[in-house]
Amino acid sequence: MDEMKNVPYAEQYKYIKALLETGKIKPVKSSGKNGKKPALYLEYWLVEKE
């Protein structure tokens, strides 16, 4: 996410959703959400290839 720091939230949301859809990350549901709309989880796990 470091390369996405200066990008508007809508673009960050699209980026995270794309990573979720491709299975590259999984949310840490116990981390809670960020309180923005649309909401995202605060932490994610990187999915390693086996």
Side-chain angles (χ1 to χ4, degrees):
M1 275 307 290
D2 286 339
E3 66 271 4
M4 299 294 287
K5 278 185 181 178
N6 297 324
V7 178
Y9 182 72
E11 293 296 319
Q12 292 177 5
Y13 179 81
K14 288 179 187 176
Y15 178 72
I16 295 295
K17 286 307 234 184
L19 291 175
L20 286 166
E21 289 172 4
T22 58
K24 293 183 179 177
I25 61 173
K26 291 188 330 184
V28 178
K29 294 184 178 180
S30 64
S31 69
K33 294 193 175 185
N34 62 2
K36 296 181 181 182
K37 293 202 186 222
L40 291 169
Y41 285 99
L42 294 173
E43 296 180 23
Y44 293 87
W45 288 104
L46 287 174
V47 176
E48 295 180 6
K49 294 182 180 181
E50 293 182 15

